[in-house]
Amino acid sequence: MTLYVHGRRARSTRRRTFAVIAVLTLALTAGATVALLRAAASDAAEDAGGAVIEQDRIVATGSADPAPMDEGKAGTDPALAGVDAELARRVSSAQGAAAAEGVVVAITSAKRSAEEQQALVDAAITRYGSQEEASRWVLPPEASSHVTGLAVDVGPTEGALWLGEHGLDFGLCRAYANEMWHFEMLPEGTSTCPPMHEDSSGGW
């Protein structure tokens, strides 16, 4: 005997119910697959030397999207941990002034260990295909100002441009013409920034 519900066969209702369940199951399976792929990609990036290379910019993994500094507490940007105290003070002052103008100057990389710096060198050689080309973008640990805590890299682009224009007011200078994000302290006893190096290859 066939049952009717509101003038329609019950078996038709069951078919639609089964169809809805099937669609939901497929959607949940697809979502889980995407999540697994993203996790695998993240693990692969970490296993590839602990470095990220973004458009000719080499930064330590995890520093590409830094938290903004607490504007109410100068010098509290955790990304400045380990850098020279005077450099941290100057950068923090610049961050505060930039924030007052609505510009974010975020630290993308600062103090690095020798191991982290070597990982960046290895990643650059892999990317550019030779040590000669990689040397234009990264220095070995023994020559890097990041390892000694005397350099910071900043972002985003607007923030780097702002600091490039106003850095001298805070005793900060760009060091390399091909790295708009890399800043070091104004040399002691000088009032103007020294000429920029074309790139970092001369430091090898």
Side-chain angles (χ1 to χ4, degrees):
M1 180 176 63
T2 301
L3 295 178
Y4 287 83
V5 179
H6 298 299
R8 295 183 180 180
R9 294 184 179 182
R11 66 180 64 176
S12 177
T13 301
R14 288 196 299 271
R15 288 174 181 171
R16 287 197 299 272
T17 301
F18 292 150
V20 170
I21 292 174
V23 170
L24 289 174
T25 301
L26 287 173
L28 290 172
T29 301
T33 300
V34 171
L36 289 172
L37 289 174
R38 287 178 177 172
S42 177
D43 292 341
E46 292 180 1
D47 293 339
V52 174
I53 304 179
E54 300 177 337
Q55 297 178 348
D56 291 337
R57 177 171 166 210
I58 306 176
V59 298
T61 300
S63 63
D65 186 21
M69 183 187 73
D70 182 346
E71 295 177 20
K73 299 180 180 179
T76 59
D77 190 333
L80 289 171
V83 305
D84 178 85
E86 177 60 19
L87 174 60
R89 185 193 69 78
R90 297 183 189 188
V91 172
S92 295
S93 296
Q95 286 179 307
E101 297 183 16
V103 177
V104 173
V105 175
I107 308 302
T108 61
S109 185
K111 179 72 169 68
R112 301 173 189 156
S113 67
E115 293 74 18
E116 289 171 333
Q117 188 67 24
Q118 185 59 52
L120 296 179
V121 171
D122 296 340
I125 292 174
T126 297
R127 179 186 181 184
Y128 295 111
S130 69
Q131 179 176 304
E132 181 180 3
E133 181 60 23
S135 70
R136 299 185 58 241
W137 302 101
V138 62
L139 286 168
E142 62 273 15
S144 172
S145 295
H146 283 285
V147 174
T148 56
L150 294 174
V152 297
D153 292 346
V154 304
T157 298
E158 182 184 19
L161 290 173
W162 187 95
L163 194 57
E165 180 179 354
H166 302 282
L168 183 57
D169 296 337
F170 304 93
L172 298 169
C173 301
R174 275 181 60 190
Y176 305 107
N178 67 331
E179 295 186 6
M180 64 184 295
W181 54 84
H182 182 100
F183 289 84
E184 300 179 10
M185 284 193 289
L186 176 72
E188 187 175 355
T190 63
S191 58
T192 59
C193 291
M196 286 184 282
H197 301 287
E198 181 178 351
D199 53 44
S200 60
S201 59
W204 281 72

